[in-house]
Amino acid sequence: MFGVGTPAMVAAAEKAGTLGSLPLGDLTYEKCVDIIRATKAITTQPFAANIFVYDTPALTDELKHQYKTTRSFLEQLAAQHGLEVTLPDIESIKVAGYREQVDALIAENCRIVSFTFGNLDAESVRRLKQNGACLIGTCTTIEEALILEQSGIDLICVQGIEAGGHRGTFTPGDIPSIGGMSLLSQVFDKVKRPLIYAGGLYDAKTILAARTLGAKGFQIGSMLLGSTESALQDFEKQRLRQAQERDIILTNSFSGRYARGLRNIYTAAVDNTPHILPYPYQNKLTGPLRTAAKAKQNAGFVSIWAGQSLNGYPAISTTDILQQLIDQLNQSPV
Ligand SMILES: Cc1cc2nc3c(=O)[nH]c(=O)nc-3n(C[C@H](O)[C@H](O)[C@H](O)COP(=O)(O)O)c2cc1C
C-alpha cells in the first residue's frame, strides 16, 4: 500500500507468518534501493516488492495546456479553502520509468516481485526470472488475467471492485466495473495460475468465500490502515473510523487513475471536471497539495484510500490484526 505500507509493516506482517508487501510505487532507483535495504535490515523473511508498471503518456502540446489550466484551477480551489500552495510546473515533474525499478529489484536480489497498473514487458520478465524472482501480476478483468498468464507471470492477484486504493486496470481511462465475486470465479475457470484475491476481505467468512471461488492466497489491504505500522497520520485514521458506507467512492481526481477511497471537499470539486490529467501527471501535480493538506491536518484535501468493507481499522499492530484473522480461520467450522 503505497503511502501507507512501511518497512515496519512488512516486518510485522512476517511476524504473523504472512507475506509482507513493500510498496515502491513509481519511486526512483535510488529510493527503491534505500527502502528495500531498510526493510532487509529489519526482516529475515522474504517479502514482496511492489511496483507500478505503466508507460507514461507523451507530453503533447494539448496535455501541456491542460496541465496549466488544471494547475491554476487547483491552486485557486486550495486557496479558497485556506491552503496556500504553489503546484509544480510541468517542466519540473520527473517520472521514473518502471524499468529503472526493475534494475533496482535485480540489484537488490528481490525474489518476490508484485506489480499493478499493467503488465511487465517481456525483457523485464526475462531478467527478473533469470534472477530467480517469482512474479505476481494484478488483474481487474478476465482479459488482463489471460494476458498475465500468457506472459509467464507466476501468480495472479485478482483485484475486485471492492478493493481500496488504485485499480490495477491496464487501461486507466476505463471506469472499472466488475465485482470481485464474478471476476474471481471466472478467472479461476479460465486461467491455470494460482490466484490471490484482493478486495473486501476483513474476516474469516470473506476469506473463505474467496477460497471457495478459487483463491489460494488472500491479500489484506484496508484492514491494516489504522494499524500501528501504517504511515497514515492520526487525523486520517480518525477520519477513516468515522466513515460511512456512502463516503467510500471511486475517484480519478487525485491521480488520473481510478482509486477507491473517501470522498471529501477535493473529490466533490474535481471529480467529473476537465481538470483531471492522465496518470502520472495528475498524481505529480496534486502531490504537493496533499502534502500541504496533511501538514495542516486538513482531511478535505488528502487522499485516504480505503475499500468497501468498513472494518473499524483497528489501532493495533499489523501482526495482531493478521494473527486474529488466522485464528478466526483456524476456528472456523468450514
Ligand atoms: C491505501 C492503499 C494503498 C494501496 N497501494 C497499493 C500499491 O501500492 N500497490 C498495489 O499493488 N496495490 C495497492 N493497493 C491495493 C491493495 O493491494 C489491494 O488490492 C486492496 O487493498 C485490497 O482490498 P481491501 O482494501 O478491501 O483489502 C492499495 C490499497 C490501499 C487501501
Side-chain angles (χ1 to χ4, degrees):
M1 290 190 285
F2 194 55
V4 173
T6 54
M9 188 182 278
V10 172
E14 298 196 337
K15 263 199 192 161
T18 64
L19 179 69
S21 185
L22 183 68
L24 300 171
D26 49 10
L27 294 176
T28 59
Y29 180 100
E30 290 73 22
K31 284 201 172 134
C32 288
V33 168
D34 286 351
I35 297 172
I36 292 167
R37 290 190 182 167
T39 310
K40 282 181 183 165
I42 55 168
T43 52
T44 50
Q45 301 297 313
F47 53 86
N50 179 269
I51 58 170
F52 294 165
V53 171
Y54 63 91
D55 289 316
T56 307
L59 199 49
T60 58
D61 286 345
E62 197 188 333
L63 191 53
K64 280 185 190 166
H65 176 72
Q66 194 195 356
Y67 188 97
K68 242 180 153 176
T69 54
T70 302
R71 180 177 171 226
S72 65
F73 171 82
L74 294 181
E75 283 177 349
Q76 278 172 35
L77 176 71
Q80 281 161 16
H81 293 273
L83 277 173
E84 291 299 334
V85 58
T86 306
L87 299 178
D89 56 36
I90 194 132
E91 281 74 27
S92 64
I93 284 183
K94 289 191 182 47
V95 181
Y98 76 85
R99 288 173 186 83
E100 77 174 72
Q101 297 182 299
V102 168
D103 291 341
L105 299 175
I106 290 172
E108 287 302 308
N109 240 333
C110 293
R111 293 301 169 88
I112 306 171
V113 172
S114 66
F115 55 92
T116 185
F117 290 4
N119 191 16
L120 292 167
D121 63 286
E123 177 62 4
S124 296
V125 171
R126 191 194 62 73
R127 291 180 63 219
L128 285 162
K129 286 204 160 195
Q130 198 173 44
N131 203 48
C134 167
L135 303 180
I136 309 174
T138 307
C139 76
T140 58
T141 63
I142 302 153
E143 199 183 344
E144 290 168 359
L146 290 167
I147 293 171
L148 292 170
E149 182 174 57
Q150 279 151 21
S151 315
I153 305 306
D154 300 292
L155 290 103
I156 298 175
C157 171
V158 178
Q159 189 192 42
I161 190 79
E162 302 87 338
H166 278 99
R167 308 291 307 147
T169 176
F170 296 8
T171 45
D174 287 352
I175 296 180
S177 55
I178 188 166
M181 192 162 159
S182 297
L183 180 63
L184 175 59
S185 174
Q186 292 184 79
V187 171
F188 179 73
D189 289 342
K190 297 209 166 74
V191 311
K192 302 271 175 302
R193 304 283 171 181
L195 305 180
I196 296 169
Y197 179 71
L201 303 179
Y202 70 99
D203 63 1
K205 69 180 178 327
T206 48
I207 293 175
L208 291 171
R211 194 175 75 181
T212 303
L213 293 172
K216 292 277 187 292
F218 311 95
Q219 192 155 307
I220 304 296
S222 296
M223 271 207 86
L224 307 176
L225 293 173
S227 69
T228 19
E229 295 82 7
S230 157
L232 287 183
Q233 293 192 6
D234 285 344
F235 82 95
E236 295 172 298
K237 292 180 181 176
Q238 273 163 26
R239 174 67 195 93
L240 252 180
R241 294 187 181 110
Q242 288 156 4
Q244 307 289 313
E245 73 184 288
R246 65 178 55 209
D247 295 333
I248 308 285
I249 59 162
L250 273 174
T251 174
N252 62 347
S253 57
F254 278 112
S255 74
R257 289 188 70 107
Y258 282 94
R260 186 175 296 289
L262 262 58
R263 75 159 108 208
N264 58 12
I265 294 169
Y266 177 89
T267 61
V270 188
D271 277 355
N272 302 312
T273 70
H275 304 298
I276 302 173
L277 305 157
Y279 190 95
Y281 299 108
Q282 187 79 359
N283 200 42
K284 302 278 179 200
L285 176 61
T286 64
L289 174 57
R290 287 176 279 149
T291 305
K294 265 199 194 235
K296 287 201 156 185
Q297 308 207 344
N298 180 341
F301 281 79
V302 289
S303 51
I304 303 178
W305 302 138
Q308 286 183 334
S309 296
L310 300 171
N311 62 69
Y313 312 100
I316 57 177
S317 79
T318 295
T319 311
D320 289 343
I321 294 170
L322 296 172
Q323 192 56 59
Q324 284 172 13
L325 268 182
I326 293 165
D327 292 345
Q328 261 189 46
L329 276 167
N330 288 339
Q331 285 154 21
S332 145
V334 191

